[in-house]
Structure formats: C-alpha cells, structure tokens
Amino acid sequence: MKKKIIPVFFSVDENYAPYLSTALASLVAHTSENYKYNLHVVHHNLSRRSLRKLLKLGEGHDNVDIIATEMQETLSGISDRKSTQLKADYFTPTIYYRIFLPEMFPQYDRGLYLDSDIIVNDDVAKLFETDLKGNLIAACVDMSTQGNPLFCQYFDEAVGIQHDKYFNSGILVIDFEKFREEEFCEHFLYLLNKYDFDTVAPDQDYLNAMCVGRVRYLDIAWNAMPTPDHHPMKNPKIVHYNLFFKPWHYDDTDYEELFWEYAKHSAFYKAIEKEKRSFSKKSVKGDEERLAQMSERVKEILNAEVTFKKIFESGKETRN
C-alpha cells in the first residue's frame, strides 16, 4: 500500500546548517514506518560540503527523502509570474519564505514548516494530521513573549491581535490549497508593496495580522520554548530554541540535553562545539543589545502613523 506523504519544509544558509543537521537527525529518529517523509531543505549560499552532510542524514531510511532546492531559483519563478512583484532585494523573499511555500510547491495540498533551531521529540506526522477545521494555518501561541508587557502592547495595538493569540511562525501547519485558492501570497505581496509595514518579526507579524480568526491553535508542546525563569515542560513534542535561548551559546538552557543528544551524532558536532567555545562575553553583550534594540523598535512602531491595526480597522484593506 502506498504510504501517505508528509511534506516538511526547512530553510537554511551556511550559518545554520549545523543546527538544521541536529533538527533533521531528531526528526528522522521519530518517524513512523506508516508514512513517507519528504523533507525539503530550501537553501541559500549553502556549501556543497554542508549540503552533502545534510542529505546523508536520510541514508538508510526507506521512508525518508531529504530533497534540496536552491531558494533563489524557486522564488524567482514566483516573481516572474506574479502581477505584484517581489521586491528586488534578496532580504524580502528569503525572510518571507514560508509565506511562499504553497506557490513554490504546488504538488502539495498542505505542508509543515519548521524552523532550523529545533529538536523534534515526537512524530511530526501527528502534527501534519491536525484538523485545521477550515482555518488557514495551525500554530502555537508565542509563549516567549507573553510575559513582556511592551511586546504584548505591540501585538494588541500595532499588529492588531490579542496578545494571548499572537502565534509563533517557527512551527506551522499550512493549508497550501486554501492559500492558493484565496491568493494569499498575492494579497501579501500587495500589502508588502503598498505599505511595507514596520515590523519586529517580519513574516510572523504579517501572518498574525492577516490570519486573525483563521488560526487553529495547537498544544504548546508542539512549540516548547526555553524561558529565562526555567519552567520546562515534561514531554515537549518539538523544542524551539527561539530568540537568544540557544544551547550552542549558553549553559543551563532549558532542554539543552535534547539538543546535545542529537548534536553529538551530527557531522557538524565539532563546528557546534567550536561555536559554543567562541561565544564570548562580547557575544552575550551583543545579544543584550539586540534585545534592547528590539524594544526600542517596538516603541517606534507603536507611535507610527501606519500599522497593521490602523490600516485594517480603517477599512482601507481587508486582512485576507
């Protein structure tokens, strides 16, 4: 009997190849023989050596195919045929990559998008089988920001979504068919070109602003994030080392044992160890400065004349 295909998508460049390697290794370790897993690695500026290492993770697994696609070639096809063009700079298509997946891969009716800074601790086929109940996507509330009053204000007053409904776009179940039927990508490009909204988390903010009322919220075990106050859950299904909570940078990070369990079996293990050793006090200060800059950016956007909330609530535009 032909096995059901589970399409999973990652995007990566050379800097994140070591962490994608651990993510892929953990995902493969939790696959079921009842399914076929097509793991799409869409890459930019990835060396042939790194790509070979990533592809090797699928060897010996009859139910796993790791499929490499060069990002720029695929995205240029969208730009060529869309009446609303992608902007010329590379930053735009790559940072909004997950929004374009339904257009880039028309052979699928739905798909999973996963960030590279994760460890999979359960079978992602279970996530893929989520009943979307007519919604565009399924995602988890972004728990990494819920305790920050400034960011909660930003979600409420700039993005235009209740802060306790603001989701993280690092783990997504996407209805590809519905995205295409509703021309979601085209509507996104229209908004991007007309307004180019100031954002803190570009693709995540657009998705939150455009998908209000059309999100199936998942158990947060599917996007468990380390926190500064150390309250890890017992059985996370996917661990997402979001923001600055990276075990390859900091000691005593929640769920660090899961990361190192797979990193030690990675062909990139020496590179990951080197990254950990080289992460200095100056690097820590750099993270602190970036967080401070994010906070200042939030304050600026809250006072901006054009925000998602102001435009949508004025009736000038529709969300979808």
Side-chain angles (χ1 to χ4, degrees):
M1 188 175 77
K2 192 174 181 180
K3 295 179 180 180
K4 186 172 184 177
I5 293 176
I6 309 297
V8 186
F9 300 88
F10 298 88
S11 61
V12 70
D13 59 14
E14 189 67 16
N15 292 330
Y16 256 72
Y19 316 115
L20 176 57
S21 174
T22 61
L24 287 171
S26 66
L27 189 158
V28 171
H30 290 89
T31 55
S32 164
E33 290 299 327
N34 297 324
Y35 296 93
K36 175 70 180 299
Y37 299 80
N38 285 354
L39 310 182
H40 291 270
V41 176
V42 184
H43 59 91
H44 173 68
N45 284 344
L46 189 63
S47 69
R48 291 184 180 180
R49 184 168 180 267
S50 292
L51 184 57
R52 284 197 300 270
K53 289 180 180 180
L54 293 173
L55 294 177
K56 195 172 182 180
L57 290 166
E59 294 180 0
H61 301 276
D62 294 337
N63 64 330
V64 174
D65 277 343
I66 300 179
I67 305 160
T69 304
E70 212 289 321
M71 184 182 293
Q72 195 60 44
E73 291 179 6
T74 312
L75 287 170
S76 63
I78 295 173
S79 184
D80 289 345
R81 64 186 175 85
K82 284 290 182 184
S83 57
T84 307
Q85 298 293 297
L86 284 170
K87 293 188 174 182
D89 60 305
Y90 177 73
F91 173 84
T92 300
T94 54
I95 201 160
Y96 297 112
Y97 157 75
R98 69 205 81 187
I99 293 176
F100 299 121
L101 285 174
E103 299 285 344
M104 294 166 66
F105 296 90
Q107 67 269 41
Y108 298 120
D109 290 337
R110 84 157 47 184
L112 297 180
Y113 171 81
L114 304 178
D115 273 353
S116 296
D117 53 350
I118 66 167
I119 289 295
V120 176
N121 200 38
D122 203 341
D123 183 5
V124 295
K126 299 176 184 177
L127 180 59
F128 180 84
E129 298 284 17
T130 298
D131 183 357
L132 291 177
K133 297 185 177 180
N135 291 296
L136 289 169
I137 59 174
C140 295
V141 172
D142 192 333
M143 299 305 294
S144 67
T145 54
Q146 291 301 303
N148 186 313
L150 180 61
F151 279 87
C152 288
Q153 183 185 3
Y154 170 75
F155 305 144
D156 290 330
E157 299 179 13
V159 181
I161 182 172
Q162 290 177 230
H163 64 265
D164 58 353
K165 295 291 185 181
Y166 182 87
F167 61 82
N168 181 271
S169 64
I171 311 294
L172 293 174
V173 187
I174 306 172
D175 188 327
F176 282 19
E177 186 174 28
K178 195 174 290 293
F179 260 56
R180 291 190 291 263
E181 286 176 356
E182 299 187 10
E183 297 184 337
F184 187 93
C185 178
E186 188 127 27
H187 185 52
F188 159 73
L189 289 169
Y190 163 76
L191 293 172
L192 178 70
N193 281 275
K194 184 172 182 179
Y195 298 100
D196 196 11
F197 294 101
D198 285 338
T199 59
V200 175
D203 71 295
Q204 188 165 282
D205 287 350
Y206 268 92
L207 283 167
N208 270 277
M210 294 176 68
C211 294
V212 171
R214 306 192 68 187
V215 181
R216 174 75 192 276
Y217 288 92
L218 300 166
D219 186 318
I220 59 171
W222 284 111
N223 196 344
M225 301 179 188
T227 60
D229 52 356
H230 298 291
H231 291 296
M233 62 176 56
K234 290 184 179 180
N235 296 299
K237 298 176 185 297
I238 294 178
V239 174
H240 183 189
Y241 303 102
N242 193 36
L243 296 175
F244 306 114
F245 298 103
K246 314 295 189 191
W248 54 90
H249 287 164
Y250 294 99
D251 291 327
D252 300 320
T253 301
D254 294 344
Y255 314 109
E256 64 181 359
E257 69 285 351
L258 282 173
F259 175 80
W260 291 110
E261 176 184 342
Y262 292 100
K264 286 176 181 176
H265 298 288
S266 164
F268 292 90
Y269 183 54
K270 290 183 179 179
I272 295 171
E273 279 194 313
K274 182 179 179 181
E275 173 68 16
K276 180 70 180 292
R277 290 194 302 269
S278 65
F279 198 76
S280 62
K281 290 182 179 179
K282 183 178 180 181
S283 304
V284 174
K285 186 177 180 181
D287 277 354
E288 293 171 348
E289 289 173 350
R290 281 188 288 275
L291 181 59
Q293 289 167 1
M294 286 174 64
S295 297
E296 290 303 311
R297 189 73 184 129
V298 165
K299 294 174 185 177
E300 291 175 6
I301 296 172
L302 283 169
N303 292 317
E305 292 184 8
V306 176
T307 65
F308 289 110
K309 183 176 182 178
K310 288 175 182 177
I311 292 299
F312 291 136
E313 291 191 352
S314 71
K316 293 179 181 179
E317 307 290 352
T318 58
R319 292 184 183 273
N320 48 49

